[in-house]
């Protein structure tokens, strides 16, 4: 039986899981979730009630990075998992301090006691470090780090695309 993948098309966590599923060639039954009206079947299987969520014969995975690794362990034709150990640190930096700053920049009204300008600066510091690392890819070829981080950079870029395009991030822009 084909694994069931619960997703939401604009969610960066779901995007990165979809990218790994796509490159791995693992076929899934896609279930798009309307976040304001989550189906009971989804709520019954997702411990966190958030997307992405993958239900397979191996169990339930509801962390995007776990889904990426699971898919790539099934089939990794481009060798995404074969990356330097620092790749996992890039992902951790993205998932923790960068995502924290991203949320407080993009969703400033949800954090009235926070300074969105300070958080934007924090996010840009991460992007400046990334810009120094990236040539064509984070390393010498595509790895899981690229596709785990890229959806969040995309989300940040579209907060204010003109401002993002005006930032001195030539390698990130090309990436």
């Amino acid at each position: 039986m084909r694994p069931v993948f619960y997703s939401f098309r604009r969610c960066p966590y779901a995007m990165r899981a979809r990218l790994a599923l796509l490159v791995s060639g693992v076929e899934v039954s896609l279930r798009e979730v309307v976040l304001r009206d989550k189906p009971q079947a989804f709520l019954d299987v997702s411990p966190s009630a958030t997307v992405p969520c993958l239900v397979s014969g191996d169990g339930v995975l509801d962390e995007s990075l776990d889904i990426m690794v699971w898919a790539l362990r099934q089939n990794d034709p481009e060798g995404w998992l074969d990356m330097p150990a620092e790749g996992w640190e890039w992902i951790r930096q993205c998932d923790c301090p960068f995502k924290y700053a991203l949320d407080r920049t993009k969703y400033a009204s949800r954090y009235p006691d926070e300074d969105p300008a300070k958080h934007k600066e924090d996010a840009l510091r991460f992007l400046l470090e990334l810009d120094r690392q990236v040539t064509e890819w984070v390393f010498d070829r595509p790895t899981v780090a690229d596709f785990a981080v890229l959806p969040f950079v995309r989300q940040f870029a579209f907060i204010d695309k003109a401002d993002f395009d005006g930032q001195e991030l030539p390698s990130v822009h090309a990436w």
Side-chain angles (χ1 to χ4, degrees), residues 5-9 11-19 51-52 64:
F5 180 65
Y6 293 95
S7 183
F8 177 65
R9 69 180 175 85
C11 170
Y13 292 107
M15 284 179 189
R16 71 184 187 180
R18 284 194 312 268
L19 287 166
V51 294
S64 61

Side-chain angles (χ1 to χ4, degrees), residues 97-136:
F98 179 69
K99 180 67 167 119
Y100 183 87
L102 165 63
D103 286 348
R104 281 149 186 79
T105 303
K106 182 174 182 177
Y107 306 111
S109 64
R110 296 181 189 172
Y111 305 96
D113 297 333
E114 301 275 349
D115 179 1
K118 178 217 175 282
H119 290 292
K120 178 182 175 183
E121 288 175 22
D122 292 345
L124 285 169
R125 264 194 299 282
F126 170 81
L127 294 175
L128 285 168
E129 289 178 35
L130 185 62
D131 194 71
R132 287 190 284 275
Q133 174 70 29
V134 169
T135 52
E136 186 176 357

Side-chain angles (χ1 to χ4, degrees), residues 124 127 153 156-157 160-167 169 172-173:
L124 285 169
L127 294 175
V153 173
F156 182 82
D160 182 341
K161 187 69 164 80
D163 180 67
F164 179 79
D165 290 347
Q167 296 293 327
L169 301 167
V172 167
H173 290 150

Side-chain angles (χ1 to χ4, degrees), residues 36-149:
R36 68 180 176 280
D37 187 23
K38 297 174 183 173
Q40 191 60 48
F42 166 69
L43 294 172
D44 289 345
V45 296
S46 175
S48 65
T50 60
V51 294
C53 179
L54 179 83
V55 181
S56 74
D58 296 332
V60 176
L61 297 173
D62 72 340
E63 293 293 331
S64 61
L65 192 55
D66 293 341
I67 295 168
M68 291 184 82
V69 170
W70 176 87
L72 294 167
R73 284 186 177 153
Q74 308 300 308
N75 185 37
D76 189 6
E78 296 184 15
W80 284 11
L81 288 174
D82 182 24
M83 72 175 172
E86 308 93 82
W88 299 107
E89 179 59 20
W90 278 108
I91 295 168
R92 190 194 71 71
Q93 287 292 317
C94 173
D95 287 2
C96 296
F98 179 69
K99 180 67 167 119
Y100 183 87
L102 165 63
D103 286 348
R104 281 149 186 79
T105 303
K106 182 174 182 177
Y107 306 111
S109 64
R110 296 181 189 172
Y111 305 96
D113 297 333
E114 301 275 349
D115 179 1
K118 178 217 175 282
H119 290 292
K120 178 182 175 183
E121 288 175 22
D122 292 345
L124 285 169
R125 264 194 299 282
F126 170 81
L127 294 175
L128 285 168
E129 289 178 35
L130 185 62
D131 194 71
R132 287 190 284 275
Q133 174 70 29
V134 169
T135 52
E136 186 176 357
W137 302 101
V138 174
F139 300 108
D140 61 341
R141 59 181 185 70
T143 67
V144 71
D146 292 280
F147 298 99
V149 173

